[in-house]
Amino acid sequence: MAQAMEGRSSSEAILSESHGAELLSKLPSREGWSEPLVLYNNYWIRPRLAATIMRLESSFRPRHDDIILASNPKCGTTWMKALAFAITNRSRYDFATDHPLLSRHPQEVVPFIEIPPDGDINYVETLPSPRLLATHMPLSLFPKSLAASPGCRIVYVCRDPKDAFVSRWHFENRICRGNNIDFEDAFSMFSEGFSAYGPFWEHCLEYWRESTTSPDKVLFLKYEDLMSEPVKCVKRLAAFLGVPFSTKEEEDGIPEEVVRLCSFDKLSTLHSNQAGDMVRRGNLIIEKSVFFRKGKVGDWVNHMTEEMGRKLDCIVEEKLKGSGLVL
């Protein structure tokens, strides 16, 4: 099966891309953020990423031991990448000397499925198993082959939507030169469910529901819990990933070492995470430092009024009613 897929002719690939471009052109589009978003299967997506997601349906080949780190944008993705990488590779590197996280950005050591390096969606096929991958895709947009993969494990991290929104607003205004999105306008759009990979709450709900029905397949974590009890969460994460800490490792303080290496204070001060760009394409410039702003819980109070906070809380509470999920 894999060989047959690998052997697809270039004409077939071109035909597939052409069909995707035609479909993309017919999708509802709306402006307001740093670039227009299209509505694809009930989620607002950047057009370039929507096209990639369409292509992944036929090109992505899951493996039984894949690990997928999923999240809404600005919900602790960079931190989760660092933690999962450090946990799964802890026997290969020394935390203080030769660890890749000391010289490479967490966004580089764990690639996105739908945002591959240099735009090559086949890049992930070159990675050795077990693969550690990331995505912002909602569960319903996963390639069917991945959603049906029995051995694949998914770690989802969510965050208070108020903090996630504030972080998103800052991010959008930094990555696109000449772009300045009004805070209140952005808040209104986010509250309507209009944001990249939004509606925010629907994204969370998909993973939450799957985690309650298939807890062996999806681990649902909250950013706030990671902040308040990082060592406990790291142990839980390691166990879920099938690489639990041994008694000796716990006695030697290895979980604490992972937490220290991946802490905001540590990672944000490294030269490799501050100098240079992750992406530079036209007006879109994503500097490595943009992934490290504050990482605080409750920073929303410094940006929005209490009334705005209550409004968003009420919207989210209504959207999540009956699910058992509280954000």
Side-chain angles (χ1 to χ4, degrees):
M1 177 68 75
Q3 289 180 339
M5 293 183 70
E6 289 172 359
R8 284 195 319 162
S9 67
S10 58
S11 60
E12 286 178 310
I14 292 173
L15 181 61
S16 176
E17 291 182 25
S18 175
H19 176 71
E22 181 182 358
L23 179 58
L24 191 65
S25 68
K26 297 178 179 179
L27 295 176
S29 177
R30 180 177 171 183
E31 297 186 358
W33 293 96
S34 57
E35 66 176 294
L37 304 178
V38 295
L39 187 62
Y40 178 54
N41 287 2
N42 300 316
Y43 283 92
W44 291 101
I45 311 288
R46 294 181 186 273
R48 177 176 53 85
L49 298 182
T52 301
I53 291 170
M54 292 176 192
R55 292 169 60 197
L56 285 169
E57 185 59 53
S58 61
S59 65
F60 185 80
R61 295 184 288 279
R63 301 176 192 169
H64 70 91
D65 52 0
D66 280 342
I67 296 170
I68 312 295
L69 309 178
S71 63
N72 253 304
K74 315 314 298 174
C75 286
T77 310
T78 303
W79 190 18
M80 181 53 64
K81 284 187 174 188
L83 288 171
F85 183 86
I87 289 169
T88 55
N89 290 280
R90 64 183 185 271
S91 64
R92 299 178 60 191
Y93 308 107
D94 184 279
F95 287 104
T97 58
D98 66 341
H99 204 285
L101 287 173
L102 296 174
S103 58
R104 296 182 64 196
H105 201 289
Q107 295 285 351
E108 295 174 313
V109 299
V110 182
F112 278 103
I113 297 173
E114 76 275 25
I115 319 173
D118 300 321
D120 179 12
I121 63 173
N122 294 315
Y123 170 77
V124 295
E125 304 301 334
T126 68
L127 300 176
S129 295
R131 295 184 300 187
L132 188 56
L133 307 171
T135 187
H136 284 319
M137 288 187 288
L139 200 57
S140 59
L141 290 188
F142 272 29
K144 291 183 179 62
S145 58
L146 177 57
S149 180
C152 172
R153 281 164 292 187
I154 301 169
V155 178
Y156 185 79
V157 59
C158 72
R159 188 182 189 183
D160 182 327
K162 299 186 295 297
D163 280 336
F165 160 70
V166 167
S167 184
R168 184 78 209 180
W169 176 72
H170 278 286
F171 186 81
E172 290 274 335
N173 279 335
R174 281 194 60 183
I175 66 173
C176 197
R177 296 298 183 266
N179 186 64
N180 186 23
I181 305 170
D182 179 77
F183 185 82
E184 292 193 5
D185 289 344
F187 178 80
S188 295
M189 292 188 294
F190 187 87
S191 298
E192 294 172 25
F194 175 56
S195 61
Y197 292 98
F200 181 93
W201 41 85
E202 293 297 336
H203 196 290
C204 296
L205 269 175
E206 286 194 0
Y207 287 95
W208 169 254
R209 288 169 177 151
E210 190 68 16
S211 73
T212 59
T213 58
S214 302
D216 58 330
K217 184 179 178 68
V218 179
L219 174 64
F220 194 97
L221 297 174
K222 292 184 178 181
Y223 183 87
E224 293 75 20
D225 292 339
L226 283 164
M227 287 290 288
S228 62
E229 297 184 289
V231 174
K232 179 181 177 180
C233 288
V234 160
K235 291 178 181 179
R236 185 183 176 195
L237 179 57
F240 176 78
L241 296 179
V243 287
F245 292 100
S246 66
T247 300
K248 186 176 187 309
E249 283 182 313
E250 293 197 17
E251 291 174 349
D252 291 344
I254 301 303
E256 289 81 1
E257 286 291 332
V258 168
V259 170
R260 276 192 288 271
L261 173 66
C262 302
S263 69
F264 183 89
D265 289 343
K266 177 68 175 180
L267 293 179
S268 64
T269 58
L270 294 174
H271 178 75
S272 56
N273 294 332
Q274 288 295 322
D277 303 328
M278 196 70 70
V279 176
R280 181 175 286 269
R281 185 176 59 252
N283 289 335
L284 181 67
I285 302 175
I286 303 180
E287 300 171 341
K288 291 184 177 181
S289 61
V290 79
F291 294 96
F292 298 93
R293 192 180 69 86
K294 285 188 176 181
K296 301 292 185 183
V297 172
D299 183 53
W300 66 270
V301 300
N302 298 313
H303 296 80
M304 65 175 72
T305 64
E306 288 186 13
E307 181 182 355
M308 295 170 79
R310 284 194 299 270
K311 177 182 177 180
L312 187 52
D313 282 343
C314 288
I315 291 172
V316 173
E317 183 179 350
E318 177 63 28
K319 298 295 183 180
L320 302 182
K321 183 180 295 183
S323 68
L325 174 60
V326 178
L327 295 178

